[in-house]
Amino acid sequence: MKKVSFRNDVLPLKNQLFRLALRITLSREEAEDIVQDTMIKVWDKRYEWSSIDSIEAYSLRICRNLSLDRLKKRDNQNDSFEEEKLDAVHTSTPQDRLIDQDRLRVVKEIVDSLPEKQRSCMQLRDFEGKQYKEIAGILGITEEQVKINIFRARQAVKQRFQKIEQYGL
């Protein structure tokens, strides 16, 4: 088994941890705090690292659990991401850029409205590029449940987006 190093194995996960925490809490400040708490918890367990199969999955699981705890404590379901500046999309007119920004906002709102498990599965698979097996380990569910949650999340996003595009609802 490979010897785990905080600097080489855990610290590089901070961006993934942040994106996961942000996807769950929808708050940049809380996500930053959660990443810090996750790093502390992982460091506190440094004497058990040799018995952990995947330090990445272990860290992501801690981050997810802390995020869900914060969400429950806050007891406030936000409807959208904290507004972030969008990168300028290279389109031909300002009107096209505005339409693209609006579509991106709609997709973010749809993803944010998904049930937590679907949102987490989609985040880890589509945005983080994790394998089904890894996601199952992180979330503590079976690979089949991961696949089902991802399928349902993608279908919901597609259907809601099409409905909005067609009918403006």
Side-chain angles (χ1 to χ4, degrees), residues 3 23-24 44 49 58 64 113 123 162 164:
K3 182 170 172 43
R23 171 62 59 199
I24 293 170
D44 288 345
W49 287 353
Y58 178 75
R64 177 181 179 269
S113 72
Q123 165 75 25
Q162 286 176 342
I164 290 170

Side-chain angles (χ1 to χ4, degrees), residues 16-139:
Q16 280 184 320
L17 296 170
F18 176 76
R19 288 189 301 267
L20 178 62
L22 181 62
R23 171 62 59 199
I24 293 170
T25 64
L26 306 173
S27 166
R28 178 173 291 282
E29 291 79 20
E30 282 194 49
E32 290 170 353
D33 291 344
I34 289 166
V35 170
Q36 185 174 3
D37 292 346
T38 300
M39 293 290 184
I40 291 168
K41 282 189 178 280
V42 172
W43 176 253
D44 288 345
K45 295 287 186 181
R46 65 189 172 277
Y47 300 110
E48 299 173 25
W49 287 353
S50 60
S51 65
I52 296 171
D53 290 334
S54 169
I55 195 70
E56 180 181 8
Y58 178 75
S59 300
L60 287 165
R61 187 178 313 115
I62 289 175
C63 181
R64 177 181 179 269
N65 290 339
L66 288 173
S67 298
L68 292 173
D69 289 346
R70 287 276 178 101
L71 195 59
K72 287 176 187 170
K73 283 181 187 175
R74 187 174 63 193
D75 195 35
N76 178 11
Q77 299 292 331
N78 289 331
D79 292 331
S80 65
F81 263 121
E82 177 180 302
E83 287 302 314
E84 296 179 9
K85 287 213 171 226
L86 297 172
D87 292 333
V89 179
H90 300 292
T91 52
S92 57
T93 67
Q95 182 179 3
D96 290 341
R97 284 193 297 273
L98 187 59
I99 290 169
D100 289 342
Q101 288 174 348
D102 191 48
R103 286 182 177 152
L104 184 57
R105 180 191 54 78
V106 167
V107 170
K108 282 182 179 182
E109 288 176 2
I110 293 169
V111 171
D112 292 346
S113 72
L114 292 172
E116 187 278 323
K117 267 212 171 77
Q118 289 180 11
R119 196 170 60 225
S120 293
C121 287
M122 186 179 225
Q123 165 75 25
L124 292 169
R125 178 69 178 161
D126 294 339
F127 303 120
E128 302 296 333
K130 300 286 180 208
Q131 300 298 318
Y132 294 119
K133 187 175 182 179
E134 290 177 285
I135 297 168
I138 292 166
L139 300 180

